[in-house]
Amino acid sequence: MSGIVSFFDSLVQFTADNSDRLLRLFGEHIVLAIETLVIALPIAIVLGIAISYNERAATVVLWIASVLLTIPSIAFFGMLVPILGIGTPPVIVALVAYSQLPVIRNTYLGVTGVDPAAVEAGTGLGMTRFERLWRVRLPVALPVVMAGVRNAVVLLVGLAAIGAFIGGPGLGFFIFYGINQGNTAMIVVATVAVSVLALAFDYLFAVTERGLRLRNGEDLEPTYTTRLFDAIRTQFQ
Amino acid sequence: MIQFDNVHKQYSDGTQAVNGLSFEVEEGTTTVLVGPSGCGKTTTMQLVNRLEEPTEGTVYYDGTDIQELPATELRRQIGYVIQDIGLFDHMTIAENVATVPELKGWDDDRTDERVDELLDLMGLPPEEYRESYPGELSGGQQQRVGVARALAAGPDVMLMDEPFGALDPITRENLQDEFLDIQEEIETTIIFVTHDINEALKMGDKIAMMNDGELVQYDTPAAMLEAPATKFVEDFIGPDRTLKQLRVLQVSEIMRTEVPDEHRDVVDAFDPADTVMADGGELIPVTPTDSAQVALSRCIQAGVRALPVVEDATVIGVVTEEDIRGYHADEIEATSE
């Protein structure tokens, strides 16, 4: 019993002693995730839309994206070092690659899953291909895309920690340093911080997804958070 | 308005959907394309808004070869209603109806006004339905929105592909009746596709009956019932052709304004406040726009040989069973001559 208590003590002690470094690394981790998303999302969404017009391309692209996801992360980071050096660039490239599959797949499923009757009506009423995409397919697909973004972001926040292996930014530094130093408290605190961050991102996008579904007229049981979200939104209107 | 000139359509898999079609849809009329599944009626309709392109022959829109008209521009001039309705579920009812005005770049005030006007016309009070989503509406209400959306930009032509086919019989009947009223107001040229001969007889000014991609007969409902061009048309109409004839015959065409003495009793029995006859049978009068079939049915129901014809709560004449039978006898004579 006293062992557990002293272990918790050591965690609190470590957090208190290193709060400024922890915060800095936490901040780096967030920035890294956002940078990755800013690059990854446009690529994945455009690809997801593009392959919705060609079934064969869809098979190939989704297959490549799945294969990318099977590469062990340490190996992937390692392979990028000779090309991009160490530090942030190779980490971002690898994370962008890893986040493609969920977003491409969901974008593709979202835009192809639109009721064919709605698409036919859109065409018959004189929408161009772009207007059908912009006014019908994409708005309907957006909540599905957002679900893919949630998957991707949880994945990439976790994998970003491994990026410290090649000198990337973020909380992974404490994990690898803790392993080297045999400092369990350091490892545990950094790991918990990574999990909290992943859950926070997941929650943020879950709320966005719900908001989009409600905006699309889907019949959802409102949660307290979405009520708050709606209340804030109406305040700004 | 719409003219088909020797139009053929063959799909890439070799199916000949339309085979040498030539006929003209007159402006301001409702033309019903009717026939069994796979007869090419939907393809024919889709040739008009270029959802399908002919492999041979020409379709003219107001005298212009439609191949020379840009497809999206053409489609925005043509209302389109389909059986599966195809409302945009993520948009409100108002946004759905505003689709074509928005594509055409109308200003917001004009669009809003038009949306309210159409929702009113379709019996969906705007204040109640504007902000609703399609998922909250019944099938019948959704198709009303579908029709409103197609009418939004005041199209010259409406294409309706089995628009009421997926609705329950009562809703279908109501929507047919309402649409007939609306059609008189809007004076749009309508091409209406159905496989239901009763719907065709009810909705059409002209009926184009198709089979195997060919036009079998193009006539008014009355003329088609009177003289089916082929055995196929006769079979498609069914064994109760004479009763169907009575359905397209309006009371106004056979009523007598001079009430014969022998039928004085039914007229006297009519009391705007009470429709029960002295002998206990229920007597429901007919209006001039009711069909002869309704009149005959009510004669049989009430056990009488004539019914008062009532308009605005006044008797304007009588329709007799004898005249209904006689109308048909005249025709038999006319055909045998």
Side-chain angles (χ1 to χ4, degrees):
Chain A
M1 192 64 195
S2 67
I4 295 173
V5 172
S6 68
F7 177 64
F8 271 104
D9 272 350
S10 72
L11 294 187
V12 174
Q13 191 61 44
F14 175 82
T15 312
D17 291 346
N18 297 279
S19 59
D20 53 336
R21 285 167 82 198
L22 260 174
L23 271 180
R24 187 172 50 79
L25 291 177
F26 199 77
E28 281 179 15
H29 215 102
I30 293 174
V31 170
L32 178 64
I34 291 172
E35 281 172 344
T36 306
L37 285 178
V38 166
I39 299 170
L41 294 190
I43 299 174
I45 292 172
V46 167
L47 271 174
I49 292 168
I51 60 175
S52 72
Y53 293 107
N54 185 328
E55 227 170 283
R56 190 172 294 173
T59 319
V60 173
V61 168
L62 289 172
W63 182 76
I64 293 173
S66 327
V67 169
L68 278 177
L69 212 51
T70 64
I71 303 174
S73 49
I74 290 202
F76 201 170
F77 288 128
M79 282 188 284
L80 289 170
V81 171
I83 309 163
L84 296 166
I86 58 163
T88 312
V91 175
I92 287 185
V93 168
L95 293 181
V96 165
Y98 280 128
S99 48
Q100 292 302 296
L101 180 67
V103 183
I104 294 178
R105 185 192 52 207
N106 279 41
T107 306
Y108 172 73
L109 292 178
V111 295
T112 53
V114 176
D115 176 14
V119 177
E120 191 197 337
T123 316
L125 291 169
M127 288 185 183
T128 61
R129 177 178 284 209
F130 178 75
E131 283 162 343
R132 283 200 300 278
L133 178 66
W134 190 248
R135 290 168 179 266
V136 182
R137 287 179 185 273
L138 266 185
V140 173
L142 222 45
V144 186
V145 175
M146 207 44 75
V149 174
R150 280 176 68 185
N151 280 341
V153 87
V154 171
L155 188 76
L156 77 87
V157 167
L159 286 173
I162 316 284
F165 181 65
I166 54 163
L171 291 157
F173 172 76
F174 268 179
I175 297 175
F176 281 96
Y177 195 66
I179 293 172
N180 271 334
Q181 304 288 311
N183 186 341
T184 313
M186 190 184 254
I187 301 170
V188 172
V189 169
T191 307
V192 169
V194 169
S195 302
V196 167
L197 187 58
L199 289 175
F201 266 115
D202 182 55
Y203 188 69
L204 183 73
F205 285 106
V207 170
T208 317
E209 183 192 334
R210 275 190 70 94
L212 289 168
R213 285 189 191 279
L214 288 172
R215 196 246 156 276
N216 277 3
E218 280 184 46
D219 198 14
L220 299 177
E221 194 68 26
T223 63
Y224 287 107
T225 333
T226 40
R227 273 185 216 152
L228 183 71
F229 186 76
D230 280 344
I232 294 169
R233 204 181 50 179
T234 43
Q235 285 299 310
F236 284 108
Q237 267 171 1
Chain B
M1 186 70 196
I2 307 283
Q3 199 188 338
F4 290 83
D5 183 16
N6 191 30
V7 175
H8 295 255
K9 169 71 190 181
Q10 187 169 23
Y11 286 109
S12 46
D13 66 359
T15 320
Q16 188 76 35
V18 174
N19 201 355
L21 203 61
S22 293
F23 74 106
E24 186 174 356
V25 175
E26 290 149 42
E27 188 161 354
T29 63
T30 300
T31 296
V32 181
L33 303 175
V34 68
S37 301
C39 71
K41 54 192 191 298
T42 296
T43 307
T44 304
M45 190 198 75
Q46 291 180 334
L47 286 164
V48 177
N49 66 352
R50 295 190 60 187
L51 286 177
E52 297 292 351
E53 306 284 4
T55 35
E56 205 188 313
T58 318
V59 182
Y60 295 97
Y61 179 93
D62 232 356
T64 318
D65 180 353
I66 61 159
Q67 295 298 315
E68 289 164 21
L69 301 167
T72 50
E73 294 302 312
L74 177 74
R75 289 173 191 154
R76 288 173 195 183
Q77 291 307 120
I78 298 179
Y80 191 54
V81 183
I82 54 178
Q83 180 175 359
D84 296 329
I85 308 176
L87 292 184
F88 307 127
D89 289 336
H90 63 290
M91 296 184 191
T92 63
I93 299 309
E95 287 169 338
N96 265 285
V97 177
T99 304
V100 183
E102 285 207 343
L103 292 174
K104 287 187 156 190
W106 288 18
D107 62 61
D108 290 353
D109 290 345
R110 187 177 169 205
T111 305
D112 286 349
E113 208 174 301
R114 181 65 179 156
V115 167
D116 287 352
E117 185 188 335
L118 282 164
L119 289 179
D120 265 331
L121 181 72
M122 296 311 300
L124 300 165
E127 56 283 1
E128 194 178 331
Y129 289 100
R130 270 186 142 270
E131 303 306 319
S132 305
Y133 282 93
E136 303 165 40
L137 270 54
S138 70
Q141 289 173 323
Q142 289 189 14
Q143 192 56 295
R144 284 165 205 266
V145 177
V147 173
R149 180 177 63 178
L151 287 171
D156 303 323
V157 175
M158 284 271 277
L159 304 180
M160 307 180 82
D161 189 0
E162 307 208 15
F164 312 133
L167 306 173
D168 66 82
I170 294 169
T171 311
R172 185 188 313 150
E173 192 92 1
N174 288 341
L175 271 175
Q176 286 169 347
D177 292 338
E178 283 172 36
F179 191 72
L180 282 172
D181 292 341
I182 290 167
Q183 181 200 337
E184 275 176 29
E185 270 179 60
I186 58 177
E187 293 176 345
T188 303
T189 308
I190 297 162
I191 299 181
F192 191 110
V193 167
T194 180
H195 60 255
D196 175 358
I197 184 68
N198 289 320
E199 188 170 55
L201 293 170
K202 181 173 181 178
M203 305 305 287
D205 296 315
K206 279 287 201 68
I207 295 178
M209 191 172 292
M210 295 182 67
N211 188 30
D212 285 340
E214 287 175 19
L215 187 66
V216 190
Q217 189 170 4
Y218 183 44
D219 243 324
T220 62
M224 187 172 282
L225 289 169
E226 199 177 308
T230 65
K231 180 86 172 50
F232 170 80
V233 178
E234 198 174 338
D235 289 345
F236 198 85
I237 291 169
D240 58 344
R241 183 156 62 91
T242 307
L243 280 181
K244 286 189 169 111
Q245 265 178 294
L246 296 183
R247 188 180 302 180
V248 300
L249 178 67
Q250 285 201 345
V251 165
S252 60
E253 293 172 63
I254 46 164
M255 68 179 235
R256 292 165 186 256
T257 42
E258 298 281 326
V259 180
D261 288 341
E262 62 213 326
H263 297 308
R264 182 67 51 204
D265 55 337
V266 294
V267 175
D268 293 341
F270 174 73
D271 170 0
D274 178 22
T275 53
V276 179
M277 284 275 283
D279 65 0
E282 200 177 333
L283 178 90
I284 308 168
V286 289
T287 66
T289 52
D290 277 334
S291 70
Q293 196 185 49
V294 170
L296 184 62
S297 162
R298 287 183 185 165
C299 277
I300 295 169
Q301 190 187 347
V304 294
R305 300 213 155 265
L307 284 176
V309 181
V310 172
E311 195 172 42
D312 299 328
T314 16
V315 177
I316 58 165
V318 287
V319 57
T320 70
E321 188 184 322
E322 206 179 333
D323 290 342
I324 295 172
R325 287 174 183 278
Y327 180 84
H328 185 63
D330 287 349
E331 272 182 357
I332 295 172
E333 244 167 66
T335 347
S336 55
E337 266 166 21

